[in-house]
Amino acid sequence: MDEQRWLDVRRFRALHEAGASVSEIARETGLNWRTVKKYLAAGGGEVVPPVRARPARGQLIDVFAHVVDAWLRAELLLKGTVIHERLVEQYGFTGNYQRVKLYLQQARPRIAAELGISPDQLAGLHRRFEVVPGAQAQVDWGDEGGIVKPRV
């Protein structure tokens, strides 16, 4: 509980002693009624109760970070979708693509700095490939079977 809310509970102690219910005080302070009841029953402590820190939970991607970093060192602009697919297929990664994307946002600049690549150089590495219309064609050499000649 932050200090301001704790002070609100202390401020409403007089109301509680005058007959206000715990639920009314909880609505005023925005706290759960159980929290209000706990601190009103605890007495008039002069010190803000300590906040218990939750233990930090690791992310699924943290286990595979060394693999992703190695791939990025080999090819810094490797797409996130490709990385996610490789992790799933080769390493059994069960996390989602969004988690990989978030990791890449902080990993790419770090690895670029390790490799001595400036952000300006990164922006110039990806160029669009264009040709004039009709200069190239894509052909599918599939077999559609025989051609039937219509009878005349």
Side-chain angles (χ1 to χ4, degrees):
M1 177 184 322
D2 66 348
E3 187 174 348
Q4 182 59 44
R5 285 194 170 171
W6 180 74
L7 289 172
D8 285 345
V9 171
R10 290 199 52 203
R11 190 179 77 209
F12 288 110
R13 180 179 303 282
L15 286 176
H16 180 63
E17 291 170 355
S21 71
V22 171
S23 61
E24 290 171 346
I25 296 172
R27 274 193 296 277
E28 279 293 319
T29 60
L31 296 171
N32 187 295
W33 67 269
R34 289 182 181 99
T35 305
V36 172
K37 184 176 178 181
K38 177 173 118 179
Y39 287 110
L40 287 174
E46 297 300 321
V47 179
V48 178
V51 176
R52 290 182 289 176
R54 293 182 181 177
R57 288 181 23 192
Q59 301 292 330
L60 285 175
I61 192 72
D62 293 343
V63 177
F64 303 99
H66 65 285
V67 175
V68 175
D69 289 353
W71 288 341
L72 290 175
R73 283 186 185 93
E75 187 178 346
L76 188 61
L77 296 178
L78 190 62
K79 288 186 168 191
T81 54
V82 173
I83 291 173
H84 180 257
E85 288 171 3
R86 286 183 186 176
L87 285 173
V88 169
E89 291 172 7
Q90 298 173 9
Y91 294 92
F93 179 66
T94 58
N96 60 18
Y97 167 67
Q98 185 68 22
R99 200 45 64 194
V100 174
K101 219 168 70 171
L102 291 172
Y103 178 77
L104 290 176
Q105 285 178 352
Q106 59 91 15
R108 278 190 212 278
R110 177 177 44 85
I111 292 176
E114 288 175 11
L115 297 174
I117 299 173
S118 71
D120 296 338
Q121 291 172 316
L122 275 179
L125 290 179
H126 180 74
R127 281 184 275 153
R128 186 178 169 105
F129 179 72
E130 292 185 12
V131 295
V132 294
Q136 290 185 347
Q138 182 177 352
V139 179
D140 183 6
W141 295 102
D143 183 14
E144 297 297 326
I147 298 175
V148 180
K149 186 177 179 182
R151 293 185 190 188
V152 182

